Amino acid sequence: MSPGGGRADDSGLSERRVRALFVVVLVGQVVALTSQGPDFEQRPIEGLGLRLLAPVARVMGAGEQRAADLGGRLRGRGELLAENEELRGDVERLRAEIMRLRDFEDEARRLALALDYGRQTPGRFLVGEIVYVDHTSWLRTLVVLVRGGAPRVNQPVVATAGLVGRVVTPAPPYAKVQLATDRAASVGAMIERTRRQGIVRGDGAGGLVLDFVPRQAPVEVGDRVVTAGIDGVYPRGIPIGTVAEVETSGELFHHVRLAPAVDFGLLEHVYLIDRPELPPELSAARAGARP
Amino acid sequence: MRVLRFLAALAAALLVHLAGVRLWPDFAHAADLFLVVLVYEALDGHALAGLIAGVVVGAVEDTLSGGPFGLYGCADTLVGYATARLAQRVVIQRPPGIMLVFLAAAAVQQLVLGALVLLLFSEPPTPSPLWVGVRAASSAVLGLLVVLAGRHGRTRLDAWRRSRTGKLHWR
């Protein structure tokens, strides 16, 4: 029998002391959990965990890539020649497209100059290599290795197809990203055709929902939805998804389901938009604001 | 020695989890290897070890999942401690009993996660009941396999040690 009362286990602590320790630890965890702010302030323990676990995930990914490369090397010569030909055709087509788009860019620049119009600069892009992605669980997440700069909280994350999410826990050189399809995620959005604004939220099942679009506003299946640039996080114009279903019930707003622009199962690289941060007075005004 | 065994099991679970998620996107939905490691450790009946294992396993699961950090920490701490206390009071040796413990641990973990998420989110994400069931069943099966493999390994190790001791004695 130990001095604290009750039977002692191998550690020498009595049952009562272990029970007390359990209560203290559990209450401490619950307090720490409930005291986390809505804007995901940096969490040192999570950052440490990311720095310990992300390299392991990266090594696993590199091993898988090597195995895939080995498989690729074993493919027949004929297959490789055919693929080479196809890729040459793609390169030529893309070169022609770039030349056409350069013409449009020059024309837009001339017109903007003539109108004295200040064009919004999106900022530079940091490449993020995906080291871990879980896009199917109800608590989904993405971990990236960021090259060329340090990630910041609320940094927008995009892919070539469109919006991926935002950084919630930076642990340089790694970052944890909240996916746009997460139930807790929300994005200021607008329907590209009509410029009608609303809020896009994740539905927690891999899809997106566009809220607060009034019943009288026209919404059609196939409409493209992009970021509106009104939430202080995402710049304007990033594709979010396409309207897949519109339900109009007796309520004030449409219930609009979107098909995400990004296929999270096919992501290999993402891009973090490195923009100047909001001035402190604007950040303070935005903090805690919820749609 | 127990600490090393636990850390090695956790590392193995991590590697299998990372490989599984790459091969099958729903792997994280379908199996919780970290919970299996936690319950296996807690079944030794040492409450303090179960508590600490719960904190460590919870931190790993929180790092690999979305949402506020600490959800899995709370759930796994409770599961680890409760399992260890249960193992102190009840002899759990037969396969049905072992499977029931792992099944119950998975169910309690998901219940605690769900309750915390309901408290924290105004519009909480909810797990699919089908996947909760799949996860609990897979935890039960994997847990039984791990326990039986552990027992078999221990039996072989004891036999090897006895044979070595016998040889030394003869010298």
Side-chain angles (χ1 to χ4, degrees):
Chain A
M1 201 75 157
S2 73
R7 197 173 60 245
D9 65 8
D10 276 2
S11 64
L13 291 178
S14 68
E15 257 186 39
R16 194 180 296 172
R17 282 189 182 166
V18 175
R19 197 181 310 140
L21 182 63
F22 163 69
V23 171
V24 166
V25 167
L26 194 63
V27 167
Q29 284 178 327
V30 171
V31 167
L33 180 62
T34 52
S35 65
Q36 287 174 40
D39 288 332
F40 292 92
E41 291 98 12
Q42 189 161 6
R43 298 176 283 230
I45 296 177
E46 189 172 15
L48 178 65
L50 275 175
R51 288 192 183 96
L52 287 173
L53 299 182
V56 179
R58 206 170 145 228
V59 167
M60 297 287 294
E64 189 198 351
Q65 187 59 45
R66 288 222 172 89
D69 287 347
L70 184 65
R73 278 194 210 115
L74 295 174
R75 281 185 298 168
R77 187 169 173 271
E79 211 178 301
L80 289 170
L81 283 173
E83 191 183 6
N84 196 10
E85 202 54 43
E86 194 185 329
L87 288 170
R88 278 179 197 277
D90 284 345
V91 166
E92 286 307 314
R93 188 180 50 76
L94 287 169
R95 276 193 181 136
E97 182 82 6
I98 286 170
M99 282 180 60
R100 193 179 68 83
L101 289 172
R102 275 204 184 123
D103 284 342
F104 278 121
E105 190 184 17
D106 286 340
E107 188 178 347
R109 196 178 294 124
R110 280 196 301 273
L111 287 170
L113 207 62
L115 293 169
D116 196 23
Y117 174 65
R119 190 164 168 271
Q120 187 185 35
T121 49
R124 69 184 184 114
F125 293 91
L126 304 176
V127 177
E129 177 194 329
I130 292 175
V131 297
Y132 178 77
V133 60
D134 176 9
H135 63 93
T136 57
S137 300
W138 59 299
L139 295 170
R140 56 204 61 211
T141 192
L142 172 71
V143 178
V144 297
L145 167 67
V146 182
R147 300 183 192 278
R152 291 193 321 267
V153 174
N154 283 337
Q155 207 164 13
V157 179
V158 300
T160 49
L163 182 69
V164 172
R166 65 180 175 121
V167 173
V168 290
T169 304
Y174 298 100
K176 185 185 272 192
V177 177
Q178 181 191 58
L179 300 179
T181 53
D182 194 292
R183 193 67 187 260
S186 59
V187 183
M190 69 175 172
I191 300 170
E192 200 175 36
R193 180 174 60 90
T194 61
R195 319 304 279 179
R196 172 68 65 174
Q197 292 178 354
I199 302 288
V200 167
R201 294 181 301 109
D203 65 1
L208 298 166
V209 171
L210 176 61
D211 281 337
F212 305 112
V213 176
R215 277 190 64 201
Q216 60 270 29
V219 183
E220 292 173 4
V221 172
D223 279 341
R224 250 172 54 113
V225 178
V226 299
T227 51
I230 57 174
D231 49 23
V233 175
Y234 304 101
R236 192 172 58 221
I238 301 172
I240 300 175
T242 311
V243 174
E245 189 186 329
V246 183
E247 287 173 20
T248 306
S249 60
E251 297 168 355
L252 294 173
F253 302 108
H254 288 297
H255 184 76
V256 183
R257 292 207 157 272
L258 307 180
V262 171
D263 185 345
F264 293 96
L266 295 177
L267 285 178
E268 288 184 8
H269 289 93
V270 294
Y271 305 93
L272 282 67
I273 300 176
D274 196 15
R275 299 167 77 193
E277 291 189 60
L278 283 178
E281 52 273 17
L282 288 180
S283 290
R286 192 188 64 84
R290 288 201 168 273
Chain B
M1 192 64 191
R2 190 199 297 157
V3 172
L4 285 175
R5 188 189 70 191
F6 168 69
L7 290 175
L10 193 59
L14 177 66
L15 290 175
V16 175
H17 176 86
L18 291 172
V21 167
R22 283 193 166 266
L23 292 170
W24 182 34
D26 284 324
F27 184 85
H29 248 152
D32 190 346
L33 301 175
F34 303 108
L35 181 74
V36 170
V37 168
L38 169 64
V39 175
Y40 180 68
E41 174 66 25
L43 279 176
D44 269 352
H46 301 288
L48 185 62
L51 170 64
I52 294 172
V55 171
V56 172
V57 169
V60 170
E61 293 204 87
D62 277 321
T63 303
L64 294 175
S65 71
F69 190 84
L71 281 177
Y72 277 100
C74 293
D76 288 348
T77 301
L78 182 67
V79 165
Y81 179 76
T83 305
R85 291 303 299 267
L86 179 71
Q88 285 174 352
R89 281 154 175 71
V90 178
V91 174
I92 306 162
Q93 289 228 330
R94 292 175 186 264
I98 293 169
M99 290 183 75
L100 191 60
V101 168
F102 279 93
L103 194 82
V108 167
Q109 185 210 49
Q110 292 295 302
L111 266 171
V112 172
L113 285 174
L116 288 171
V117 159
L118 266 171
L119 276 173
L120 292 170
F121 290 92
S122 53
E123 295 196 38
T126 47
S128 157
L130 171 67
W131 283 113
V132 170
V134 168
R135 206 174 158 106
S138 68
S139 297
V141 170
L142 286 170
L144 176 65
L145 291 174
V146 166
V147 167
L148 293 178
R151 278 186 195 161
H152 180 71
R154 236 174 271 141
T155 308
R156 294 281 295 263
L157 185 65
D158 287 344
W160 178 76
R161 279 183 182 149
R162 270 197 302 274
S163 71
R164 281 207 67 197
T165 310
K167 282 178 187 163
L168 287 170
H169 177 76
W170 275 112
R171 277 183 202 157

